[in-house]
Amino acid sequence: MLKILKYSFADLARSRWSYVYFGFYLLLGFVLLFLNNDLSKAVITLMNVIVVLTPMIGTIFGIMYFYSAREFTELLLSQPIKRRDIFLGQYLGIALSLSLSLVVGLGIPFIIYGVAQSSEIWDFALLLLVGAFLTFIFVALSVNISLRNENKVKGFGYAILLWLFMAVIYDGLFLISLIMFDDYPLDKFTLFASMFNPIDLSRILVLLKLDISALLGYTGALFQNFFGNGSGMIISLLVLTLWAILPIGLLIRTAKRKDF
Amino acid sequence: MIRIENLYKRFGRLQVLEGVNFQIEEQGVVAVLGPNGSGKTTILKTILGMVLPQEGEIYFDNQPVLNNWDYRNRIGYMPQIARFPDNLTVRELIEMIKNIRDVDANEHALIERFGLESSMDKKLGQLSGGTKQKVNIVLTFMFDSPLLILDEPTAGLDPVSLIRLKALIQEEKEKGKTFLITTHIMSLVEELSDQIVFLLEGQIFFQGSVQELKDQTGQKNLEHSIAKILESDA
């Protein structure tokens, strides 16, 4: 599996888009830190960018890579390697290279600015961790979509729809349901529902860490009330881990049963 | 060497293989023929474990193939369309496959033979279809595999490379290797193959030598024999 990972990583590390992505974070980091000069504001802006952008890029890269590597995957399948190793290797290659673009792209301006010496270092570390989590989750989801859809246009459509749903529509539906069922106690439902969207969950996690109650919103405040800051973070991290593991498991299962 | 027992494969509602049975014992070139959509590629891919059958079993050197993977160490496969990751160079791709197999390979002789030296450091995305097919040939033939599966090997090759490929197949055959080849080019079949497996409507319609097929259909030439089978079927 490591061999496959190494090569798909090397393949992506030389793709122009990896550098565009890397450059974007580099620029964003510098602009936010050096033009803004307010660390906590920078963290919040970065969070808003990361929770929307990493899932989108993860989704698009995941689906495009697997579709374009289709024939290459066939070549690998005819070699003496287990299916699981091929797909896990390719998946990790994409997820790791995207995560690396994020971590290094934002890490360089952080270090130059001197974040490492400041008290906010853990906020930044958590941001990067959440970004990496979202990358792993959405790459896994989109790879699942690509494995289940031979038709590229359809697959691409589903993937974008998934992202749009998680990033935008979910919140809208959520709000509407809260307004419509205003008269009922919705705490449990809300808690439950936020677990089903990794983007929401990441946002709550970062805001709990930042401890800015004004920005927590309804779900975040509930989380805080229900679990407290510390265990709220642990629980959301655990659920995020589940969000990463389940699609990866499904991906391997689907790959094992698929005809190529 | 290969034994296929009662193989059934359905893609959705489309039944492709309906109880295929055949056995290849001796070395030499076996041409898998049949009209478009008769399941030639599907059979080759089930042998490789890329397509999973609904029913049936395949044995390679008396070992069951399904849910196994290490037997592929002894098979070289050349797919119909050669497409590789665009950002890798030819050299890196060859190194990668060598790395996966972890056995000796004689790629240099093949690279020279097909005139790929000047393309070695080019990225695969920049190569033409024919050149990619040559890379495909190198990848397939560089290991000393006892079984070679070639799916439409001549697609996109120029006449010079085609002659070289045919010579290469001849040489390897004389070394005692077994080939499974699908092709629509009948001259290639007549030139190379020792045995024909003819697929029709998901079953083996005929297995035997080129001469036997001609005798059975009463035709002088292979192309006409095949046409005759297809016409009488329709």
Side-chain angles (χ1 to χ4, degrees):
Chain A
M1 186 190 81
L2 282 176
K3 290 173 188 168
I4 308 289
L5 191 152
K6 209 179 87 192
Y7 278 97
S8 66
F9 188 86
D11 184 27
L12 279 162
R14 259 177 289 169
S15 141
R16 186 158 30 109
W17 294 108
S18 297
Y19 290 102
V20 171
Y21 190 49
F22 167 76
F24 172 79
Y25 279 124
L26 200 66
L27 194 72
L28 183 73
F30 275 116
V31 167
L32 282 179
L33 287 175
F34 289 92
L35 294 185
N36 198 348
N37 259 322
D38 182 339
L39 270 186
S40 58
K41 269 187 193 160
V43 173
I44 292 164
T45 313
L46 274 177
M47 178 202 72
N48 281 322
V49 174
I50 285 177
V51 296
V52 175
L53 197 67
T54 48
M56 185 181 87
I57 298 293
T59 307
I60 294 175
F61 257 75
I63 201 120
M64 289 208 318
Y65 185 87
F66 264 73
Y67 276 137
S68 68
R70 166 90 202 219
E71 282 82 7
F72 180 59
T73 307
E74 289 189 16
L75 176 72
L76 290 178
L77 283 165
S78 70
Q79 300 297 327
I81 330 170
K82 287 184 197 151
R83 275 194 182 196
R84 196 197 59 204
D85 293 351
I86 297 174
F87 287 93
L88 212 53
Q90 289 188 333
Y91 162 71
L92 290 176
I94 307 172
L96 280 175
S97 77
L98 287 180
S99 303
L100 206 70
S101 289
L102 168 79
V103 171
V104 178
L106 285 180
I108 293 173
F110 287 179
I111 289 168
I112 293 176
Y113 187 78
V115 173
Q117 280 86 45
S118 77
S119 55
E120 320 246 351
I121 173 72
W122 292 111
D123 297 345
F124 280 93
L126 183 71
L127 262 185
L128 297 182
L129 181 75
V130 161
F133 253 117
L134 286 173
T135 304
F136 273 78
I137 291 168
F138 278 85
V139 172
L141 291 173
S142 70
V143 171
N144 270 302
I145 292 175
S146 79
L147 282 176
R148 281 165 188 273
N149 290 284
E150 293 291 309
N151 185 332
K152 290 182 191 185
V153 179
K154 249 188 183 174
F156 208 85
Y158 287 142
I160 293 295
L161 217 70
L162 174 78
W163 169 78
L164 201 68
F165 181 79
M166 292 292 195
V168 183
I169 301 173
Y170 196 89
D171 281 350
L173 290 177
F174 201 65
L175 271 178
I176 292 171
S177 67
L178 285 184
I179 293 164
M180 282 181 61
F181 300 104
D182 199 17
D183 300 336
Y184 301 90
L186 286 170
D187 307 18
K188 292 263 163 57
F189 165 75
T190 312
L191 268 181
F192 196 65
S194 60
M195 302 265 186
F196 276 93
N197 186 345
I199 295 181
D200 269 355
L201 209 58
S202 310
R203 195 180 284 131
I204 292 171
L205 176 60
V206 174
L207 289 172
L208 283 176
K209 173 74 181 74
L210 292 178
D211 205 11
I212 311 171
S213 34
L215 286 176
L216 273 172
Y218 182 56
T219 43
L222 263 176
F223 241 81
Q224 196 174 28
N225 277 334
F226 207 80
F227 299 116
N229 271 15
S231 43
M233 281 174 63
I234 291 171
I235 285 172
S236 45
L237 260 181
L238 279 178
V239 178
L240 272 183
T241 314
L242 263 183
W243 259 106
I245 292 173
L246 289 179
I248 296 174
L250 185 68
L251 182 163
I252 294 170
R253 220 176 86 111
T254 315
K256 275 189 176 169
R257 294 175 179 193
K258 190 174 155 65
D259 292 317
F260 287 91
Chain B
M1 179 164 224
I2 298 177
R3 194 166 80 242
I4 294 181
E5 286 178 358
N6 209 25
L7 203 62
Y8 281 85
K9 179 63 199 176
R10 195 179 59 239
F11 293 106
R13 252 181 278 165
L14 183 72
Q15 187 82 37
V16 179
L17 303 179
E18 298 182 50
V20 169
N21 287 289
F22 75 90
Q23 196 165 346
I24 294 164
E25 280 305 337
E26 62 272 43
Q27 291 137 357
V29 177
V30 179
V32 181
L33 305 179
N36 299 335
S38 58
K40 302 183 292 286
T41 301
T42 306
I43 288 193
L44 300 188
K45 285 187 170 180
T46 23
I47 294 174
L48 286 157
M50 294 164 72
V51 169
L52 310 167
Q54 264 90 28
E55 225 182 288
E57 188 56 84
I58 299 173
Y59 298 90
F60 180 55
D61 287 342
N62 290 318
Q63 298 288 317
V65 154
L66 303 176
N67 297 319
N68 236 325
W69 57 275
D70 48 352
Y71 73 97
R72 288 198 286 267
N73 259 315
R74 289 169 285 145
I75 300 182
Y77 171 56
M78 186 167 155
Q80 220 171 81
I81 315 160
R83 269 185 61 191
F84 307 113
D86 287 348
N87 289 315
L88 290 180
T89 64
V90 177
R91 193 183 303 281
E92 284 165 325
L93 179 73
I94 291 175
E95 284 305 317
M96 175 192 185
I97 302 293
K98 274 169 71 179
N99 196 304
I100 288 170
R101 289 262 182 146
D102 223 6
V103 291
D104 286 338
N106 64 332
E107 77 274 21
H108 299 296
L110 289 164
I111 289 166
E112 210 174 304
R113 190 169 190 158
F114 287 93
L116 282 172
E117 297 99 332
S118 57
S119 313
M120 288 304 283
D121 291 308
K122 283 191 189 145
K123 289 188 174 173
L124 286 150
Q126 300 165 347
L127 299 183
S128 73
T131 315
K132 282 186 190 172
Q133 190 72 346
K134 289 181 199 167
V135 175
N136 207 359
I137 295 172
V138 174
L139 289 177
T140 314
F141 282 86
M142 66 181 180
F143 301 106
D144 194 21
S145 323
L147 174 65
L148 290 153
I149 295 179
L150 316 179
D151 197 354
E152 298 280 357
T154 56
L157 285 182
D158 58 56
V160 179
S161 313
L162 183 57
I163 290 169
R164 286 181 186 155
L165 175 65
K166 282 196 266 191
L168 183 63
I169 295 176
Q170 252 342 322
E171 282 166 34
E172 295 295 314
K173 179 176 134 183
E174 275 152 27
K175 284 186 200 160
K177 299 199 173 163
T178 307
F179 284 85
L180 272 177
I181 299 182
T182 70
T183 182
H184 287 290
I185 301 171
M186 288 307 133
S187 59
L188 192 75
V189 177
E190 279 194 279
E191 214 172 311
L192 291 173
S193 65
D194 304 294
Q195 216 187 120
I196 291 176
V197 171
F198 196 93
L199 273 171
L200 202 58
E201 289 166 3
Q203 288 184 325
I204 302 291
F205 179 81
F206 172 86
Q207 186 178 5
S209 68
V210 175
Q211 194 53 49
E212 281 167 354
L213 184 68
K214 286 182 190 166
D215 292 345
Q216 191 176 323
T217 50
Q219 300 288 325
K220 285 202 185 69
N221 129 337
L222 182 63
E223 218 147 35
H224 284 103
S225 312
I226 304 259
K228 175 132 192 184
I229 296 175
L230 296 181
E231 275 163 14
S232 61
D233 179 62

